[in-house]
Amino acid sequence: MKFKDKVVVVTGSTRGIGREIAHAFAREGAVAVILGRSAAAAAEVRDELARKGLKAESFGCDVTNPENVLEIVNKILDKYKTIDILVNNAGITKDNLLLRMSENDWDEVMNVNLKGAFNCTKIIAKVMLKAAAKGASPASGGASGKIINISSIIGIMGNAGQANYAASKAGIIGFTKAVARELASRQITVNAVAPGYIQTDMTAQLKEEVRNAILNNVPLGRLGTATDVANVCLFLASPEADYITGQTLCVDGGMAI
Ligand code: NDP
């Protein structure tokens, strides 16, 4: 019960990696706040957790809309008074080769993956800063708040057909470093996790030959699981990681070596 009663907001936790991150924190005693564009899908995950006797809350929330994010954050604060941990996980892909990539596909990916993280971090960092100023109970050990941004190995290595996605995920790494510097004096840590190829809906669409080509480049010889990523989020949010900020941890089976 490492995160007993800590309030953890996980964006895009209606399925895939975000859902597993929410489950992992809830198993450790946290109140997992499930967010996704569909309130019904978020409520399903909340109910799943409740059936296991775990604490959860859910809201429909589009991270691209700052008014919507603020409204939901206020609802969370009305009930729980604080937010200890934020995981910016919501993300989409709209792949195409550069010359065929529409402006709309560029904008949509940047809006969800990068601006979504900006919207949520700006609003929730304010909550964490207020709590730090009041000397409220720290998110873990000596830290006043923990922010974890889900980037991607594609933001480090690039990938043909994913110029928009790679730019958004590289952007997340720069954003993480800048915000880590801004919030460090209040003992709020900000780190990124860069998953490699993880088995989720996002990668289920890959053709057999593409999947095999990917596996040839993974030294550990398997796709990752959402649990592999969730475990690293638990670590970065824990007191054991209180002296780590501005970092990007690759969870990629060695792909980026
Ligand atoms: P999924 O497509 O399985 O899930 C994406 C989640 O994001 C869903 O819950 C979706 O919910 C939510 N979402 C999408 N748009 C919005 C929005 N505008 N506002 C709020 N929520 C939104 O993706 P994965 O689990 O595979 O990926 C999770 C994160 O991990 C992403 O940031 C992705 O880029 C990153 N990642 C994934 C890798 C992989 O191999 N799977 C590898 C590296 C990084 P809903 O549709 O209900 O809104």
Side-chain angles (χ1 to χ4, degrees):
M1 301 295 268
K2 225 171 203 170
F3 296 100
K4 194 170 180 326
D5 296 331
K6 297 297 177 199
V7 181
V8 185
V9 172
V10 186
T11 69
S13 43
T14 55
R15 57 177 187 270
I17 294 173
R19 177 177 166 277
E20 182 51 34
I21 293 171
H23 272 256
F25 275 106
R27 281 194 297 269
E28 292 291 339
V31 179
V33 183
I34 314 299
L35 302 185
R37 279 169 305 181
S38 154
E44 263 180 46
V45 178
R46 177 202 62 205
D47 293 346
E48 228 171 69
L49 287 164
R51 279 194 295 275
K52 291 183 174 172
L54 302 174
K55 283 171 274 183
E57 193 63 67
S58 71
F59 297 99
C61 178
D62 183 341
V63 296
T64 64
N65 179 341
E67 286 85 25
N68 189 199
V69 174
L70 182 61
E71 179 198 340
I72 298 308
V73 165
N74 284 333
K75 285 186 180 167
I76 298 168
L77 293 178
D78 281 347
K79 185 153 178 195
Y80 297 100
K81 311 292 172 223
T82 190
I83 295 170
D84 301 289
I85 299 158
L86 164 65
V87 184
N88 282 310
N89 166 79
I92 59 166
T93 51
K94 297 263 172 193
D95 299 351
N96 220 331
L97 293 171
L98 176 67
L99 297 190
R100 293 190 197 141
M101 187 174 286
S102 69
E103 191 180 344
N104 194 47
D105 284 353
W106 173 271
D107 288 344
E108 269 192 55
V109 167
M110 296 305 272
N111 260 338
V112 177
N113 298 7
L114 192 52
K115 193 174 170 209
F118 161 74
N119 289 335
C120 296
T121 305
K122 185 175 171 186
I123 292 166
I124 293 177
K126 205 168 168 187
V127 175
M128 291 177 173
L129 285 167
K130 269 193 193 159
K134 279 192 204 147
S137 80
S140 79
S144 313
K146 301 268 189 176
I147 299 172
I148 298 164
N149 299 321
I150 307 299
S151 174
S152 167
I153 206 66
I154 303 303
I156 295 170
M157 300 171 69
N159 195 24
Q162 292 198 301
N164 49 0
Y165 185 76
S168 72
K169 293 300 185 177
I172 282 288
I173 293 173
F175 176 72
T176 298
K177 291 179 186 178
V179 181
R181 287 184 184 274
E182 288 190 28
L183 302 182
S185 66
R186 307 317 286 257
Q187 303 303 313
I188 297 167
T189 68
V190 189
N191 290 291
V193 175
Y197 283 88
I198 309 295
Q199 286 165 329
T200 66
D201 291 352
M202 202 180 255
T203 47
Q205 314 147 15
L206 295 172
K207 292 191 186 111
E208 183 75 21
E209 62 265 30
V210 178
R211 195 185 168 87
N212 289 338
I214 290 166
L215 284 178
N216 282 337
N217 288 314
V218 181
L220 287 180
R222 66 169 175 88
L223 292 187
T225 64
T227 306
D228 290 322
V229 180
N231 285 339
V232 174
C233 294
L234 290 181
F235 166 65
L236 288 173
S238 75
E240 284 79 9
D242 276 355
Y243 202 54
I244 300 176
T245 197
Q247 300 305 304
T248 300
L249 231 162
C250 297
V251 183
D252 66 344
M255 265 184 88
I257 298 169

